[in-house]
Amino acid sequence: MNFKRLERLLLTSLLILSLCCCSNTTSNIYKTPNNTNISTNSGNILEVSGIYNKEKSIKENITEYIKRMTLEEKVGQMIMPEWKYVTAQDVKTYSIGSVFAEGGSAPKENNPDGWRAMISKYKNAAKKSRLSIPLLFALDAVHGNNNMKDTVIYPHNIALGATRNGKLVREIGTAVADELNSIGIDWTFSPCVAVSNDIRWGRDYECFSETPDLVTMLSTPFITALQENGIIACAKHYVADGAVEFGSGINGLLDRGNTNISTEELKDKYISVYKDVVKAGVKSIMVSYSSVKGRKNHSERDLIEYKLKQDIGFQGIVISDYEGVEYLDGNSLYIKVVNAVNAGIDVLMEGKRWKEAYKCLLEAASEKRQDINMNRIDEAVFRILKVKMESGKFDDESDRTNEDYDIRQNFNVQIAEQAVKESLVLLKNKKNILPLKKSAKVAVIGPAADNIGAQCGGWTKTWQGGLDTEEKRWMSGTTILDGFKEMADDGGGVIITDPAKIKDADVVVAVLGERPYAEGHGDEKTLGLSEGLAFSENANTLKIAYESKKPVVVIIVSGRPRIITNEINKWDALVEAWLPGTEGRAVAPVIYGDNCNFKGRLPVSWPKSDEQLPITIEKLDNNEEYDALFQYGFSLKYSN
């Protein structure tokens, strides 16, 4: 026995224990969650095994971990790097608690096997760390497992808002959970629970509605379905991101802008939604890039620590948006990290600069600096471990990957098709031109008629989405034109796609649309039918339709209403199809009335002109001028 070496080890252990005990002498600025009574000791780093015990309560287990964790291990749990910028060795070395894939980020082999291999590499590294705390892998699955190619892409939230069908949304949540579980995803940054106030916002299609009641009605079953099936849900973006003022955002538009509303409206219309999702059990909430009354949400302690955590009683994880901390005021990342964590953010979602954020957080919580109190660190770690334990990540059976899972299985396709059918809104039907006869000769033209990429919109395989080419479709699935051809084949009809032969048709169906877009690129000053993000080809499509002298049925594929006032009188029928996703064939059966009727109702108000914007049903409620082209909730159906 080397007694000198043993003596050095004992002295080192005593020194560590004494330093840890000193951390308890700091002022109690922050309180740990109610009734936790955890010790803030960093613990004996030599004790590494046998901590988690199924027979003990979650609180008891977390207490044991926090007692034994070093400051470095605690800080590691609070950092979330993007997978391309962190190695498996980094995960082990820094005790990283979670890793994410940003929008459009995917392994080289963008298929289930490629995802499973990539994710398991990080999870296995976490298991080999000193305390073996499970790692969470996260991404934005906002309408399906949308980073992976050729999966089922469900209609975007605005379309689901038109269904007003919580049971259907729950089924979609269950299907999405199964898809994510099959490749090892633990956490999705969805649903977006923003209450839409201005349809010019590029994230409007991520909103269920312009009314908080409808947002709650649909977001809560989605959250429940995800979490009952082992996927951590995330309500975003806290708070009032849908209420920013036009002109206050990036590029002088809306995204990441400022909300300047009364305290009462903030509470009643926007915070109320978070109160509802917290009551429903959501386990994480993402903070918005935007500001309230000129102050960035990411550094607002009143909004996060007091209103969300204390007043509402949220006990889960508060996470920053992607590199959201870096947009705060301050001349250094250190100051920004300190302000964000002191405001109540528990996990910092970082990309390339995660090591810098880690070092800033470590330094700020050190005995030397104490710019972040240890109680605040312990509270964040408590929340992180609580969510991991409640979600079964510490259990032996937590691995739900399934190599045999079919990412386009019939059941999920059927759910997506049902969502498409129920989301369609009939806005005009002159002389009951719809439903079409299966035996009719129908010309189907327009830039969105045969393009899966246009149907899906943003957040599909890449962050901003993409379009089909002549050689290849953007995703697997079916188009609106495919569905028309199926209906015609079934009833002996004819589908014409050549504009030169359009005069042979009985009716012209013009399928208009938009180029795909997502946040940062989707804001628009005006919402014309063939300008901005709308396909310029829309104008020529209508010209051809008008010149045919045939009845004109217009289907709009879009993430929001567009200004159609000058054109609608020339149309015999109008259907809003929103962004239906990969299963476009489901549109046609409703147009033909094939054992289908229109069920969708507008989840947002449809303006007559850009000058009316922003316009919502709230104006009518407040006795203000509300002269919408189509009011919130408007719809038509086929007569019996």
Side-chain angles (χ1 to χ4, degrees):
M1 173 71 72
N2 188 329
F3 289 98
K4 288 186 177 181
R5 183 181 177 201
L6 177 60
E7 183 180 23
R8 285 198 301 271
L9 285 171
L10 289 172
L11 287 172
T12 300
S13 298
L14 288 170
L15 176 61
I16 292 168
L17 285 171
S18 65
L19 288 172
C20 294
C21 291
C22 288
S23 68
N24 287 330
T25 64
T26 57
S27 60
N28 188 15
I29 300 174
Y30 292 90
K31 294 182 179 179
T32 51
N34 292 339
N35 302 319
T36 56
N37 297 319
I38 58 175
S39 167
T40 55
N41 288 344
S42 292
N44 187 343
I45 64 171
L46 300 180
E47 298 180 39
V48 297
S49 62
I51 301 176
Y52 183 72
N53 186 339
K54 290 183 180 180
E55 304 303 317
K56 291 183 178 180
S57 69
I58 287 177
K59 176 186 169 183
E60 290 173 320
N61 274 300
I62 295 173
T63 301
E64 286 300 313
Y65 272 98
I66 290 182
K67 281 181 179 178
R68 299 168 191 244
M69 292 173 78
T70 64
L71 176 58
E72 289 80 3
E73 288 168 331
K74 292 175 181 179
V75 168
Q77 289 297 304
M78 297 172 66
I79 297 293
M80 176 186 276
E82 213 278 341
W83 74 271
K84 294 190 299 294
Y85 307 107
V86 64
T87 67
Q89 184 58 47
D90 287 335
V91 167
K92 180 181 177 182
T93 301
Y94 291 89
S95 301
I96 296 298
S98 54
V99 172
F100 77 105
E102 63 184 320
S105 180
K108 184 177 180 180
E109 298 298 325
N110 190 3
N111 56 40
D113 288 340
W115 278 92
R116 277 189 286 266
M118 182 263 285
I119 293 170
S120 65
K121 176 180 67 175
Y122 294 111
K123 290 189 174 183
N124 288 336
K127 290 178 183 178
K128 295 176 183 177
S129 63
R130 191 181 74 92
L131 297 178
S132 301
I133 297 175
L135 176 138
L136 300 176
F137 199 99
L139 48 66
D140 293 86
V142 300
H143 61 153
N145 187 14
N146 44 250
N147 277 24
M148 188 191 294
K149 67 179 182 179
D150 298 332
T151 56
V152 175
I153 298 297
Y154 302 86
H156 267 298
N157 283 354
I158 194 169
L160 300 183
T163 72
R164 287 167 168 76
N165 187 340
K167 181 177 181 295
L168 177 61
V169 171
R170 185 184 179 102
E171 290 176 351
I172 292 173
T174 299
V176 171
D178 289 344
E179 293 167 7
L180 297 178
N181 277 320
S182 73
I183 61 170
I185 301 293
D186 305 285
W187 190 356
T188 173
F189 303 137
S190 65
C192 176
V193 298
V195 179
S196 167
N197 186 66
D198 194 328
I199 61 174
R200 291 171 293 189
W201 187 33
R203 306 194 81 147
D204 196 67
Y205 64 72
E206 295 185 54
C207 307
F208 288 109
S209 176
E210 66 185 39
T211 64
D213 289 345
L214 185 51
V215 171
T216 293
M217 187 179 91
L218 298 179
S219 60
T220 51
F222 186 77
I223 289 167
T224 300
L226 288 174
Q227 296 188 165
E228 284 182 347
N229 290 279
I231 300 297
I232 299 163
C234 183
K236 63 183 187 182
H237 308 83
Y238 184 78
V239 59
D241 50 332
V244 296
E245 292 181 322
F246 188 85
S248 68
I250 55 177
N251 300 320
L253 296 173
L254 284 152
D255 202 47
R256 307 187 185 189
N258 179 58
T259 302
N260 189 20
I261 57 178
S262 68
T263 302
E264 292 74 17
E265 185 178 1
L266 179 67
K267 178 181 178 181
D268 295 342
K269 187 175 180 181
Y270 300 99
I271 292 181
S272 64
V273 175
Y274 286 90
K275 186 175 182 179
D276 292 334
V277 296
V278 168
K279 186 177 180 181
V282 71
K283 295 187 183 300
S284 68
I285 289 176
M286 183 184 294
V287 181
S288 174
Y289 287 118
S290 58
S291 307
V292 174
K293 296 183 178 179
R295 298 173 65 89
K296 286 288 186 184
N297 291 2
H298 273 76
S299 59
E300 274 302 283
R301 191 178 179 196
D302 179 64
L303 286 175
I304 302 171
E305 174 66 27
Y306 296 126
K307 286 186 171 63
L308 180 61
K309 290 185 173 181
Q310 294 188 20
D311 293 351
I312 296 177
F314 178 58
Q315 294 290 311
I317 297 170
V318 176
I319 183 171
S320 74
D321 205 334
Y322 177 58
E323 296 182 347
V325 168
E326 300 184 34
Y327 295 93
L328 297 179
D329 293 334
N331 57 13
S332 70
L333 182 61
Y334 179 88
I335 292 173
K336 297 173 183 180
V337 166
V338 168
N339 289 339
V341 173
N342 280 341
I345 291 177
D346 305 310
V347 172
L348 302 177
M349 187 197 305
E350 291 294 320
K352 296 179 181 179
R353 296 179 67 180
W354 68 268
K355 282 187 181 179
E356 294 176 62
Y358 172 92
K359 291 175 182 177
C360 291
L361 186 52
L362 189 64
E363 180 183 355
S366 68
E367 283 291 318
K368 180 179 178 181
R369 297 294 292 267
Q370 296 186 46
D371 287 327
I372 300 175
N373 188 275
M374 271 305 301
N375 286 342
R376 172 76 268 269
I377 298 294
D378 285 344
E379 181 212 344
V381 175
F382 187 97
R383 289 169 176 272
I384 294 164
L385 296 183
K386 179 175 181 286
V387 168
K388 289 183 177 184
M389 290 182 190
E390 287 178 342
S391 302
K393 304 306 176 183
F394 280 79
D395 298 336
D396 295 336
E397 61 273 14
S398 62
D399 184 5
R400 302 173 183 230
T401 55
N402 181 359
E403 295 182 4
D404 297 324
Y405 190 87
D406 180 5
I407 59 174
R408 282 194 56 80
Q409 61 176 286
N410 288 338
F411 182 70
N412 291 0
V413 170
Q414 289 170 6
I415 293 173
E417 289 184 343
Q418 187 63 32
V420 173
K421 292 176 181 178
E422 293 194 25
S423 67
L424 301 176
V425 182
L426 179 62
L427 296 170
K428 182 177 181 180
N429 193 18
K430 183 179 178 181
K431 295 182 180 179
N432 293 322
I433 189 171
L434 298 181
L436 299 177
K437 295 179 180 178
K438 289 185 180 181
S439 59
K441 295 179 181 178
V442 181
V444 181
I445 60 174
D450 194 29
N451 197 307
I452 292 179
Q455 292 173 185
C456 292
W459 292 104
T460 306
K461 197 165 71 173
T462 66
W463 178 33
Q464 297 293 324
L467 294 170
D468 298 8
T469 64
E470 291 184 4
E471 295 77 26
K472 190 175 182 181
R473 288 182 166 177
W474 185 247
M475 295 282 280
S476 294
T478 59
T479 66
I480 291 172
L481 179 60
D482 291 335
F484 273 85
K485 289 179 176 179
E486 289 177 12
M487 288 292 104
D489 288 344
D490 185 51
V494 176
I495 300 299
I496 299 168
T497 58
D498 185 353
K501 299 180 180 179
I502 197 169
K503 291 185 179 180
D504 296 333
D506 299 318
V507 61
V508 178
V509 175
V511 189
L512 314 179
E514 303 171 324
R515 297 196 307 275
Y517 55 84
E519 61 175 305
H521 298 267
D523 290 358
E524 293 198 77
K525 292 182 179 179
T526 60
L527 296 172
L529 198 52
S530 56
E531 60 190 31
L533 289 169
F535 287 124
S536 59
E537 298 93 329
N538 290 342
N540 190 52
T541 297
L542 289 176
K543 182 175 180 291
I544 293 170
Y546 298 155
E547 290 176 348
S548 73
K549 305 299 182 182
K550 305 292 183 178
V552 177
V553 175
V554 172
I555 300 173
I556 300 180
V557 177
S558 66
R560 52 194 162 194
R562 302 201 72 90
I563 305 302
I564 59 174
T565 308
N566 292 336
E567 301 291 338
I568 191 170
N569 288 337
K570 303 173 189 176
W571 304 343
D572 295 275
L574 169 61
V575 176
E576 174 59 47
W578 311 110
L579 295 171
T582 52
E583 312 315 309
R585 67 188 286 268
V587 171
V590 185
I591 302 294
Y592 281 86
D594 186 35
N595 296 316
C596 297
N597 203 335
F598 284 93
K599 293 185 177 181
R601 297 166 54 199
L602 287 181
V604 294
S605 302
W606 198 300
K608 286 183 177 179
S609 67
D610 291 311
E611 289 70 31
Q612 289 180 311
L613 297 172
I615 182 173
T616 68
I617 192 66
E618 188 178 53
K619 289 191 173 184
L620 186 61
D621 295 339
N622 294 337
N623 296 316
E624 299 178 39
E625 183 179 353
Y626 179 73
D627 188 24
L629 181 65
F630 299 110
Q631 292 192 6
Y632 169 87
F634 180 84
S635 66
L636 299 173
K637 296 185 180 346
Y638 296 139
S639 56
N640 294 327

